[in-house]
Amino acid sequence: MFNLLKMFFGSKAERDYREIRDDLENTLQTYEEIKKLDNDQLREKTDEFRRRIADHVSEEQRQIDTLKEYLEEHYDIDVNEKEKIYTQIDQLDDRQNQKTEAMLAELLPEAFSVVKETARRFHDNSVVEVRANDFDRELAASRPSVEIKGDKAHYHNQWMAGGNLITWDMVHYDVQLIGGIHLHKGKITEMATGEGKTLVATLPVYLNALAGKGVHIVTVNDYLAKRDSEWMGKLFEFHGMRVDCIDKHQPHSEERRQAYMADVTYGTNNEFGFDYLRDNMSRNPEELVQRKLNYVIVDEVDSVLIDDARTPLIISGPTPKGEEHEFHDMKPKVEKLYNAQKMLVTNMLAEARKLLLPKEG
């Protein structure tokens, strides 16, 4: 029976491949066109993608901005009206997300091709030269692998990652394109050791970072988080995207808040989890470090969501005057207040009942 079903419907792998075959074929065809671009034209594709996404959701964004501006100017409006406006904003936000998702699906072949071609140029050239912009100059101030020479920026294919000098030597294979398409669609991708899982993630990370709402990459330990942010980060930085790692910064610091504001944010599952807990314990918005969640890739997902998930994240701290127990002192006062309130309400109800009864005669 199983063989008969397989004959008609194919294996699980074959069905999965049929689902993404069009995306793969479109990517491979598009890649041949992307290869013809010079270095500057290749970088300009990122700005083009961002503009296309922004234009596609511009009407929803305009309405959201108008409603938020109205709330700021009329902060004392009725709470029911305010709730209706916030409901409108949520609905517009959902519609904007749906339209963004549709646009990302349309951009996938071009975006994946841009990442693959960037990897190939770093693989084939010791230096990739482009017109220098402000972001290149900012990187050059702290990255020896980026040099400014006149009006040109030189990106070297050697840089430090995890304390070691690496030479970029990877280009995406078709199987990695397949893995990237599956990850973008929110599925789990299983790959054998050595098949380049870290490189696979660069494809959907770049694509989803184009929306400007942030992308998280969750790893199992801080060494991998720091190493991967430095190792793969160069592909994103070449295209003007900011990359950071939360494990490099102290909790509740401005540096960590800025790390969350980066286009691509690496970190360990525990630190992401603890930051979430700390934010929920904060007393005012200025203490928050995380922004609204958008898209995440979890490395070693079985370990993070099954093995590590068995150990709860707990934040504990000293309680001021924790040794003093005021319950017995406060209980009589609370009971007195409660009884007085109960008596007042009872008397008010009795008085109201008398007033409502019809008068005799």
Side-chain angles (χ1 to χ4, degrees):
M1 182 64 179
F2 176 77
N3 290 332
L4 183 63
L5 291 172
K6 186 175 179 181
M7 183 185 303
F8 282 101
F9 299 105
S11 66
K12 177 66 165 59
E14 290 169 340
R15 294 195 300 274
D16 288 343
Y17 176 72
R18 283 199 298 269
E19 184 180 332
I20 57 94
R21 180 173 55 196
D22 289 344
D23 283 327
L24 177 63
E25 291 177 353
N26 289 337
T27 301
L28 294 175
Q29 293 173 5
T30 304
Y31 178 66
E32 296 304 316
E33 297 302 316
I34 294 295
K35 284 172 64 176
K36 299 175 184 178
L37 303 177
D38 62 33
N39 293 336
D40 291 313
Q41 291 172 331
L42 183 66
R43 293 218 301 180
E44 289 168 1
K45 295 298 290 184
T46 300
D47 290 333
E48 175 193 328
F49 297 152
R50 285 171 165 164
R51 283 195 301 271
R52 288 167 64 180
I53 294 171
D55 290 344
H56 194 60
V57 300
S58 59
E59 178 57 27
E60 286 76 16
Q61 189 60 51
R62 183 191 65 78
Q63 294 182 48
I64 290 173
D65 292 341
T66 300
L67 290 172
K68 288 183 176 179
E69 185 178 340
Y70 178 83
L71 287 172
E72 290 179 1
E73 294 175 353
H74 304 81
Y75 57 88
D76 56 346
I77 61 174
D78 179 73
V79 65
N80 292 323
E81 183 183 353
K82 185 177 293 186
E83 185 175 352
K84 289 180 181 178
I85 294 176
Y86 277 118
T87 300
Q88 284 182 270
I89 292 175
D90 289 340
Q91 291 172 346
L92 287 167
D93 192 50
D94 289 340
R95 193 189 312 165
Q96 188 182 60
N97 288 336
Q98 292 171 3
K99 293 180 70 173
T100 299
E101 187 175 347
M103 179 54 68
L104 291 178
E106 181 181 320
L107 292 174
L108 187 149
E110 287 183 272
F112 277 31
S113 297
V114 165
V115 178
K116 178 177 179 177
E117 180 59 12
T118 304
R120 187 192 67 80
R121 294 192 187 188
F122 277 120
H123 175 276
D124 294 350
N125 304 278
S126 59
V127 174
V128 179
E129 183 182 88
V130 289
R131 285 194 301 270
N133 57 33
D134 292 340
F135 187 63
D136 296 328
R137 294 184 174 87
E138 181 182 333
L139 290 178
S142 59
R143 306 275 203 283
S145 59
V146 181
E147 287 186 299
I148 302 298
K149 295 187 176 182
D151 63 346
K152 300 293 183 180
H154 288 189
Y155 280 77
H156 296 266
N157 73 340
Q158 288 187 328
W159 57 83
M160 297 298 295
N164 299 306
L165 181 65
I166 64 101
T167 300
W168 185 262
D169 59 354
M170 296 180 291
V171 182
H172 304 77
Y173 291 106
D174 289 358
V175 67
Q176 292 168 323
L177 296 176
I178 293 172
I181 295 170
H182 276 299
L183 285 177
H184 172 66
K185 294 179 180 293
K187 298 185 177 181
I188 294 175
T189 300
E190 182 179 6
M191 303 184 73
T193 301
E195 283 192 315
K197 291 178 290 184
T198 307
L199 184 64
V200 168
T202 59
L203 299 162
V205 165
Y206 170 81
L207 174 62
N208 284 274
L210 292 170
K213 297 181 179 181
V215 172
H216 294 165
I217 299 95
V218 180
T219 60
V220 292
N221 63 63
D222 61 347
Y223 171 76
L224 289 178
K226 295 172 183 176
R227 185 204 67 179
D228 291 354
S229 67
E230 296 164 352
W231 189 17
M232 300 294 131
K234 189 64 66 181
L235 295 183
F236 309 127
E237 290 177 337
F238 181 76
H239 290 283
M241 293 181 173
R242 294 188 181 277
V243 181
D244 211 330
C245 175
I246 60 173
D247 292 72
K248 293 182 177 180
H249 311 295
Q250 291 296 318
H252 264 317
S253 64
E254 179 60 26
E255 291 76 15
R256 181 164 287 203
R257 184 179 293 106
Q258 291 303 315
Y260 276 109
M261 295 303 295
D263 296 292
V264 182
T265 304
Y266 287 81
T268 53
N269 54 319
N270 284 341
E271 286 303 312
F272 279 119
F274 278 123
D275 281 338
Y276 177 82
L277 294 178
R278 294 187 194 101
D279 278 2
N280 277 273
M281 296 170 62
S282 298
R283 295 179 180 272
N284 56 71
E286 289 73 22
E287 296 177 0
L288 304 178
V289 296
Q290 292 186 339
R291 60 169 162 170
K292 188 175 181 180
L293 302 179
N294 175 49
Y295 178 84
V296 63
I297 290 180
V298 182
D299 189 20
E300 304 289 352
V301 66
D302 53 344
S303 175
V304 171
L305 297 185
I306 298 176
D307 299 335
D308 289 356
R310 292 181 298 181
T311 305
L313 299 180
I314 299 174
I315 292 182
S316 62
T319 302
K321 301 183 179 179
E323 70 283 354
E324 297 182 13
H325 302 285
E326 300 179 346
F327 174 78
H328 296 294
D329 294 334
M330 300 301 296
K331 181 180 177 181
K333 299 177 182 178
V334 173
E335 287 180 336
K336 183 178 179 181
L337 178 63
Y338 171 77
N339 291 331
Q341 178 180 322
K342 184 178 179 181
M343 184 179 298
L344 175 63
V345 172
T346 301
N347 292 336
M348 291 175 66
L349 286 173
E351 191 68 27
R353 190 176 293 113
K354 290 179 183 179
L355 295 174
L356 291 174
L357 288 174
K359 297 181 179 180
E360 297 181 0

